């Protein structure tokens, strides 16, 4: 025991004299005195050999020694961290790393703007599934099986179930809402739709729509025109002119297509409007009575109007983007150009 106590005194002197001047040196110190095979551990191992009556006193001496060894380590550990920081390339005075903010996709910007304009007129947003059944996408909308009007929308069918399609328009959402919601109905249906088109600058196999529906008593074509006119003025500016051309859709009667004066040349004629001064932006009409009846609405008492527009098309006119494919290519050089709300 005497011997061990003397040894401890020697170690204490060694600790006292040990000059810690580098992280490596500190580590050597730690391993020698405090490591798992170090001196402190070793001395505690000696405990077994100490006679019972001396165990307590010896334990005391050992604990004191351990504290001395640890205190020196702790003291230099802090210093070493601070001193080595610059050599590790850390400069706490430098400004932090800025991370760049993303921007909204142009189609989201345009969609949000369309929604906010119609919301001000009292329309609320309705959404539905992208994989749709035949009834909601076609049959309920006055397009029974084998009706030639189905050819207007080249369709992707889900091959495991011929009753399922990738919806070709968001009119399917309108059908769902008419089926399940009490009147009056005033909704807009934004969403992605799919058509089996060859991908080119002017067409893609998916695109986005916002369709609108208003069904109530005494809804007239005049209401439709005024609603769309308000939209055009809000979206493209006060001076924009509109015109309606008679058209055909199976779900509306009468039907029309609406053009606006060209947003690029103001109507003088340019390549965007193919030198006509007008660009088409949407299809619309009065909801066909068959359709109301199909969906459980009394067509003698109620009328409605509907319209549908392509978000890509509106965005193209707003931003003059001439290749539709750019919207889906995720090229940052394109996407980073759209930084503010439209
Ligand atoms: N659903 C039509 C389409 O996708 C657009 C439309 C909606 C036309 C409502 C008239 C009325 O082509």
């Amino acid at each position: 025991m005497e011997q061990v106590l003397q040894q401890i005194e020697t170690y204490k002197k060694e600790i006292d004299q040990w000059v810690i001047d580098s992280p490596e040196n500190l580590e050597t110190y730690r391993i020698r005195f405090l490591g798992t095979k170090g001196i402190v551990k070793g001395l505690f191992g000696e405990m077994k050999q100490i006679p019972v009556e001396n165990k307590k006193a010896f334990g005391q001496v050992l604990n004191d020694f351990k504290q001395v060894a640890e205190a020196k380590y702790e003291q230099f550990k802090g210093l070493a961290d601070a001193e080595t920081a610059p050599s590790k390339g850390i400069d706490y005075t430098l400004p932090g790393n800025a991370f760049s903010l993303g921007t909204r996709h142009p189609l989201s910007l345009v969609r949000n703007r369309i929604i906010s304009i119609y919301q001000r007129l009292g329309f609320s947003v309705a959404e539905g599934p992208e994989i749709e059944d035949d009834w909601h996408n076609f049959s309920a909308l006055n397009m029974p099986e084998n009706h030639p009007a189905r050819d207007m929308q080249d369709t992707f069918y889900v091959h495991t179930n011929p009753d399922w399609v990738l919806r070709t328009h968001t009119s399917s959402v309108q059908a769902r809402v008419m089926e399940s919601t009490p009147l009056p109905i005033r909704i807009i249906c934004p969403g992605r739709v799919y058509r089996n088109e060859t991908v080119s600058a002017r067409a893609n196999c998916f695109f986005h729509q916002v369709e609108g529906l208003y069904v109530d008593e005494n809804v007239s074509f005049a209401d439709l025109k005024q609603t769309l006119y308000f939209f055009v003025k809000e979206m493209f500016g006060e001076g924009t002119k509109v015109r309606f051309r008679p058209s055909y859709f199976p779900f509306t009667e009468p039907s029309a297509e609406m053009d606006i004066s060209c947003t690029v040349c103001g109507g003088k004629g340019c390549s965007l409007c193919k030198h006509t001064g007008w660009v088409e932006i949407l299809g619309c009409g009065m909801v066909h009575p068959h359709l109301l009846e199909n969906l459980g609405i009394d067509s003698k008492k109620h009328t409605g109007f509907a319209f549908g527009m392509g978000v890509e098309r509106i965005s193209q006119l707003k931003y003059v983007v001439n290749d539709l494919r750019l919207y889906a290519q995720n090229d940052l050089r394109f996407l980073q150009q759209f930084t503010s709300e439209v």
Side-chain angles (χ1 to χ4, degrees), residues 153 168-169 171 174 195 209 211-212 249 251-252 283-285 306-309:
Q153 304 181 350
T168 56
H169 48 188
S171 305
Q174 304 183 342
R195 294 195 193 170
Q209 284 190 327
E211 295 212 348
F249 296 103
F251 21 85
T252 45
C284 60
F307 56 85
M309 63 187 91

Side-chain angles (χ1 to χ4, degrees), residues 141 143 152-153 168-172 174 193 195 207 209-213 224 248-252 254-257 282-287 305-310:
L141 304 177
M143 278 190 277
M152 287 162 71
Q153 304 181 350
T168 56
H169 48 188
T170 58
S171 305
S172 55
Q174 304 183 342
V193 301
R195 294 195 193 170
F207 59 99
Q209 284 190 327
V210 177
E211 295 212 348
L213 174 73
L224 169 63
Y248 170 76
F249 296 103
F251 21 85
T252 45
S255 305
E257 264 160 303
L282 56 82
C284 60
M286 299 304 293
V287 181
F305 68 67
F307 56 85
M309 63 187 91

Side-chain angles (χ1 to χ4, degrees), residues 309-328:
M309 63 187 91
V311 180
E312 278 81 351
R313 180 83 178 128
I314 307 285
S315 170
Q316 196 178 20
L317 297 175
K318 267 309 277 186
Y319 296 126
V320 197
V321 173
N322 50 21
D323 189 333
L324 267 183
R325 291 168 293 195
L326 286 167
Y327 289 117

Side-chain angles (χ1 to χ4, degrees), residues 27-309:
E27 185 58 5
T28 316
Y29 173 88
R30 187 190 66 77
I31 292 168
R32 176 159 167 76
F33 288 100
L34 303 166
T36 40
K37 290 179 187 148
I39 287 164
V40 170
K41 269 269 159 62
L43 287 170
F44 273 97
E46 299 280 318
M47 204 57 155
K48 293 194 276 318
Q49 268 116 69
I50 304 295
V52 191
E53 64 274 20
N54 291 336
K55 267 201 201 305
K56 201 172 165 204
F58 185 68
Q60 189 82 49
V61 173
L62 270 190
N63 274 327
D64 286 350
F65 174 66
K66 186 181 169 202
Q67 267 171 23
V68 170
E70 281 177 349
K72 179 145 184 159
Y73 178 71
E74 291 302 322
Q75 180 194 348
F76 282 91
K77 197 175 130 217
L79 274 177
D81 284 350
E83 272 170 22
T84 54
S87 69
K88 282 186 190 153
I90 302 169
D91 180 349
Y92 297 117
T93 63
L94 283 176
N97 290 339
F99 47 91
S100 53
L101 273 183
T103 54
R104 282 196 201 285
H105 192 283
L107 294 180
S108 301
L109 291 173
V110 171
R111 183 202 52 204
N112 292 350
R113 178 100 173 93
I114 298 172
I115 291 175
S116 82
I117 294 171
Y118 284 108
Q119 273 177 336
R120 271 186 281 150
L121 290 173
F123 285 78
S124 50
V125 171
E127 290 181 314
E130 291 184 21
I131 300 176
E132 198 39 285
D133 54 42
D134 186 284
W135 171 252
H136 293 102
N137 196 79
F138 291 129
S139 301
L141 304 177
N142 216 18
M143 278 190 277
E145 220 181 310
N146 300 323
H147 192 287
R150 287 200 182 191
D151 283 352
M152 287 162 71
Q153 304 181 350
D154 236 337
T155 310
F156 288 114
Y157 286 85
V158 177
H159 82 282
T160 49
N161 184 341
D163 192 43
W164 289 346
V165 300
L166 298 187
R167 68 179 177 196
T168 56
H169 48 188
T170 58
S171 305
S172 55
V173 182
Q174 304 183 342
R176 285 176 178 276
V177 172
M178 280 193 263
E179 231 171 24
S180 61
T181 315
L183 299 178
I185 291 170
R186 198 161 10 178
I187 50 160
I188 41 169
C189 311
R192 179 176 288 194
V193 301
Y194 302 83
R195 294 195 193 170
N196 189 4
E197 308 269 357
T198 308
V199 178
S200 72
R202 299 173 58 87
N204 207 343
C205 52
F206 65 86
F207 59 99
H208 300 78
Q209 284 190 327
V210 177
E211 295 212 348
L213 174 73
Y214 179 26
V215 186
D216 201 353
E217 288 178 25
N218 299 320
V219 178
S220 73
F221 204 93
D223 298 321
L224 169 63
K225 285 177 90 169
Q226 201 53 45
T227 304
L228 295 178
Y229 192 44
F230 175 80
F231 167 74
V232 168
K233 279 201 301 190
E234 289 296 304
M235 191 77 198
F236 297 103
E238 211 45 62
T240 318
K241 295 199 201 68
V242 300
R243 75 175 185 189
F244 288 82
R245 281 179 292 106
S247 184
Y248 170 76
F249 296 103
F251 21 85
T252 45
E253 182 59 37
S255 305
E257 264 160 303
M258 190 176 85
D259 299 340
I260 61 170
S261 49
C262 180
T263 49
V264 170
C265 63
K268 284 191 213 77
C270 68
S271 61
L272 183 83
C273 61
K274 298 199 203 89
H275 304 283
T276 61
W278 295 96
V279 282
E280 183 197 319
I281 65 161
L282 56 82
C284 60
M286 299 304 293
V287 181
H288 198 297
H290 282 176
L291 207 139
L292 295 176
E293 296 295 334
N294 277 346
L295 297 162
I297 296 169
D298 183 354
S299 65
K300 303 245 166 19
K301 249 177 92 189
H302 298 102
T303 49
F305 68 67
F307 56 85
M309 63 187 91

